[in-house]
Amino acid sequence: MTQGGAARRTVLGAAAALAAGTGLTGLSAGSASAADRVRDDAVRGDGRGGGGHGEGGYRDLPVPLVIGHRGASGYRPEHTLGSYRLALDLGADVIEQDLVPTRDGHLVCRHENEIGGTTDVADHPAFASRHTTKTVDGVSVTGWFTEDFTLAELKTLRAKERIPAVRQRGTLYDGRWAVPTFEEVLRWADREGRLRDKRIWLHVETKHPSYFRGLGLGLEEPLARLLRRYGRDGRDAAVFLQSFEPSSLQRLSRLVSAPRVVLLSAANTRPWDFEAAKDPRTVADLVKPEGLRWIADFAQGIGPTLDLIVPRDAAGKLGTPTTLVRDAHARGLVLHPYTARNENSFLPAEYRKGSDPAAYGDAFGAFRRYFELGIDGIFTDNPDTGLLAAEDFRPGRGVNR
């Protein structure tokens, strides 16, 4: 396994890092001012975004890479500036954003367009009439949807913990942050890059792109415009672009040159754009050598569910690894599987401790199992745990050697 040349940052103590993440307030909505853009362009210098400090592309990042899944969502409400900042404080190499549109075409960071579970929208009587049922990618969903709100309306809401039964600590921060626009995140990342003297890498997903294009709210074009505006559109830009729909990445490949990662769900599923196009292939076909060869024509990596790398048996224990890591590497693709978490309810059965689903299990043991297989990075809700586990697999960095 090879390692990138980037030096490791010092890991903050857990208590100090957690405290540091509590004080960040939301940014105002709207586009960057002309002065901001002039300032940011001057700072970036090399045109590659994220601070312009001259580092190389994604092949120069540490291996295995630690990707803050929706920020540090194990500790803060997901997709908030507080969650993103804490992920950096805890040592994440890359921070993930999921993008959905508002009714007036702004890209905002939410895991889903349904926001009843991640905001306080239900507490706003003015929006009660917006509660509805829609079919999104063939699934009936009831709630409130970003495409039914203007950005100004969305900014009156506050983010909250998505799974309070498992992450009660996260509820402490309910209401502290607004829903950020992607442009706000880009500006935030540039500022953090200057403060920390390094480029801040992002991992950006287009959510339900075919669904939104059918509503006249295509994601790729406004995303490409923002990437160009903030210098993250080049081959060595500090950003990965990801989607479960390959056609979204193919479209993006014609707009910008930033590296692209095809996300892959369960083996028996089909990407929604395949469903719409009557393409009979399933994820099981895409992880075969010929499928990976097809992906390599327009992408630089894959983001498979961890079960595609090591399936679980009926008891929830890890079984025999597949050949996916070897096969993807043979075609020059990096692997960023998802999602590692600390809680028992998410861990393979052999790494659980006790019967409380919200208690922490042997997360380090699970990380070790996946890293031993040679993956290039991993999405995790707990970047501090992931970083400590990853250090043992970065040549010359192992803390236990």
Side-chain angles (χ1 to χ4, degrees), residues 113-133:
N113 52 326
E114 198 291 300
I115 54 174
T118 61
T119 74
D120 63 355
V121 63
D123 298 331
H124 291 249
F127 299 137
S129 63
R130 311 265 179 105
H131 191 263
T132 188
T133 298

Side-chain angles (χ1 to χ4, degrees), residues 78-79 98 100-102 108-124 127 130-132 134 136 141-151 153-162 179-180 212:
E78 64 190 35
H79 288 314
D98 297 322
V100 294
T102 63
V108 296
C109 300
R110 291 288 88 189
H111 175 56
E112 290 291 343
N113 52 326
E114 198 291 300
I115 54 174
T118 61
T119 74
D120 63 355
V121 63
D123 298 331
H124 291 249
F127 299 137
R130 311 265 179 105
H131 191 263
T132 188
K134 300 189 179 191
V136 181
V141 183
T142 299
W144 290 266
F145 298 83
T146 59
E147 64 266 28
D148 295 333
F149 290 76
T150 66
L151 179 60
E153 290 172 331
L154 200 65
K155 281 294 186 178
T156 66
L157 309 180
R158 309 300 289 181
K160 68 177 185 179
E161 172 59 48
R162 181 176 60 89
V179 174
F212 286 121

Side-chain angles (χ1 to χ4, degrees), residues 222-303:
L223 172 55
R225 285 195 294 271
L226 286 171
L227 294 173
R228 288 193 292 268
R229 182 180 302 169
Y230 289 90
R232 291 178 182 263
D233 57 320
R235 186 175 293 107
D236 290 336
V239 63
F240 293 95
L241 304 176
Q242 54 173 336
S243 183
F244 282 99
E245 296 189 25
S247 63
S248 180
L249 295 179
Q250 290 173 321
R251 187 183 298 272
L252 280 167
S253 73
R254 296 189 289 271
L255 299 171
V256 294
S257 299
R260 298 167 294 278
V261 174
V262 176
L263 298 174
L264 300 167
S265 189
N268 61 349
T269 63
R270 294 166 68 194
W272 184 250
D273 54 342
F274 282 22
E275 293 276 0
K278 309 301 181 186
D279 187 327
R281 291 176 296 173
T282 65
V283 169
D285 296 309
L286 295 182
V287 297
K288 293 177 180 177
E290 55 269 31
L292 295 170
R293 189 178 304 112
W294 177 76
I295 288 173
D297 283 342
F298 60 89
Q300 289 69 46
I302 58 173

